[in-house]
Amino acid sequence: MRYLVTGATGFIGRRLLRHLAEGGHEITALVRDGRRVPGARAAHGDLATGAGLLTAVRDADRVIHLAGVTRAADPRVYAEINAEGTRRLRAAVAAQPEPPRLVYCSSLAASGPGRQRREEDVPAPVSAYGRSKLGGELALREEGGADGVGSRVRAVVVRPPIVYGPGDPAFLPGLVGAVRIGVLPAVGRPGPRHYSLIHVDDLCRALLTAGEAGAAGGIYHVSDGAEHLWDDIGAAVATALGRRAPRVVHVPGAVAMAAARTVGRASRLGPDKVTEALHPAWTSAPGRLPFIPRITLSEGLRVALGP
């Protein structure tokens, strides 16, 4: 099978290339510059302008779209890359004589906060990032109507929650730092906070499953199948590191927002991320994709953080 992967040099992309290589697939990575991508052929293209996309997509059987902006100083950048960039990619796919199947890695942020969010729930994103990822989903469905049925582009959407694992650039490093100082911040009012998680290798398997078994126009939630309390996540990281569980300290939303604005919008916890963190629940109900997660939180942390 011939795969084109956008975002191949990112956290998820690097792991996905491993899975594809192990499966014996032919891999092309979309890159904006002259960088080389180990294990893949580089195709030059730019989601911001559309340049090179037609050539990059040519001859692909599957396109897995991971590229996107997760932090930005200007909220308009989210929309330009995550929504409009996805629209440009869809147009390039649609222009092919035999359009490849397109798998879009969206986010639970596109659905919005809450406990046990279902795939059929009306999306209610609360952040610029979430709105931009939803915009990408909608861009894939424009040609075929509200549900995408009838489109030349057989697009499938996967909405992961928090993704962690080896090479994680943000989530695990933040938790490790919190464990080491013994304080785990929680933005907003005191009370329990629930999150869905998925290990990066399980997400890669889900994306490949979506490419094979997902219905055109389908939207799928994936996770490790559990609701995790913030306290328990911190304690699990501490166990993996052989340390004591950190103490949860609630940071008032106004204080967190003021700090985020001071350090800058593009920081790890900028205003957009604070807006998401103010909501105490980000979990998804089991989805319809025929995918079974293999990696529990404790096992995933043991491998990612162990000696």
Side-chain angles (χ1 to χ4, degrees):
M1 190 78 72
R2 296 166 298 185
Y3 280 84
L4 172 69
V5 180
T6 77
T9 60
F11 164 44
I12 299 169
R14 291 193 300 270
R15 299 297 290 192
L16 181 63
L17 293 191
R18 282 178 149 195
H19 285 260
L20 290 173
E22 289 170 0
H25 299 289
E26 183 179 325
I27 312 165
T28 299
L30 185 74
V31 296
R32 287 182 299 169
D33 48 33
R35 77 177 66 184
R36 300 179 66 181
V37 181
R41 180 181 71 88
H44 301 287
D46 192 343
L47 292 169
T49 65
L53 297 184
L54 278 171
T55 302
V57 169
R58 189 176 301 149
D59 297 327
D61 300 308
R62 299 282 187 273
V63 176
I64 300 188
H65 180 30
L66 303 174
V69 174
T70 57
R71 296 195 301 273
D74 184 345
R76 291 174 294 186
V77 174
Y78 290 120
E80 180 57 31
I81 302 301
N82 297 346
E84 295 304 318
T86 301
R87 181 175 283 108
R88 296 181 186 103
L89 182 62
R90 182 201 64 79
V93 170
Q96 303 304 310
E98 294 186 16
R101 175 164 290 218
L102 172 58
V103 179
Y104 175 45
C105 187
S106 183
S107 170
L108 187 60
S111 176
R115 292 189 65 181
Q116 297 290 293
R117 291 285 292 176
R118 298 171 300 171
E119 295 157 341
E120 63 269 25
D121 288 343
V122 176
V126 297
S127 62
Y129 171 71
R131 290 188 290 272
S132 72
K133 295 300 280 186
L134 179 61
E137 294 182 14
L138 296 175
L140 295 177
R141 299 158 66 182
E142 287 174 349
E143 181 190 10
D147 57 2
V149 175
S151 171
R152 294 194 74 241
V153 179
R154 296 167 299 156
V156 182
V157 172
V158 176
R159 289 178 179 164
I162 296 169
V163 184
Y164 73 98
D168 175 357
F171 181 66
L172 284 186
L175 285 169
V176 168
V179 167
R180 286 177 175 162
I181 65 174
V183 175
L184 181 64
V187 177
R189 297 178 180 177
R193 316 186 83 74
H194 298 83
Y195 298 95
S196 285
L197 304 174
I198 190 168
H199 189 276
V200 63
D201 286 331
D202 272 341
L203 174 57
C204 290
R205 284 186 280 267
L207 291 168
L208 295 177
T209 299
E212 297 302 316
I219 295 174
Y220 299 100
H221 288 182
V222 295
S223 74
D224 65 6
E227 276 194 313
H228 300 279
L229 283 167
W230 187 230
D231 314 47
D232 294 342
I233 295 172
V237 171
T239 297
L241 295 173
R243 303 176 76 105
R244 298 179 64 177
R247 178 171 58 93
V248 176
V249 174
H250 289 270
V251 180
V255 173
M257 188 63 76
R261 287 173 175 153
T262 299
V263 300
R265 287 183 174 272
S267 67
R268 182 173 295 172
L269 194 64
D272 204 54
K273 295 304 177 188
V274 170
T275 298
E276 292 179 351
L278 285 169
H279 295 267
W282 288 88
T283 71
S284 57
R288 293 168 293 183
L289 189 69
F291 155 77
I292 299 174
R294 301 178 186 175
I295 304 173
T296 63
L297 178 59
S298 58
E299 174 64 14
L301 292 176
R302 184 187 65 80
V303 173
L305 301 177

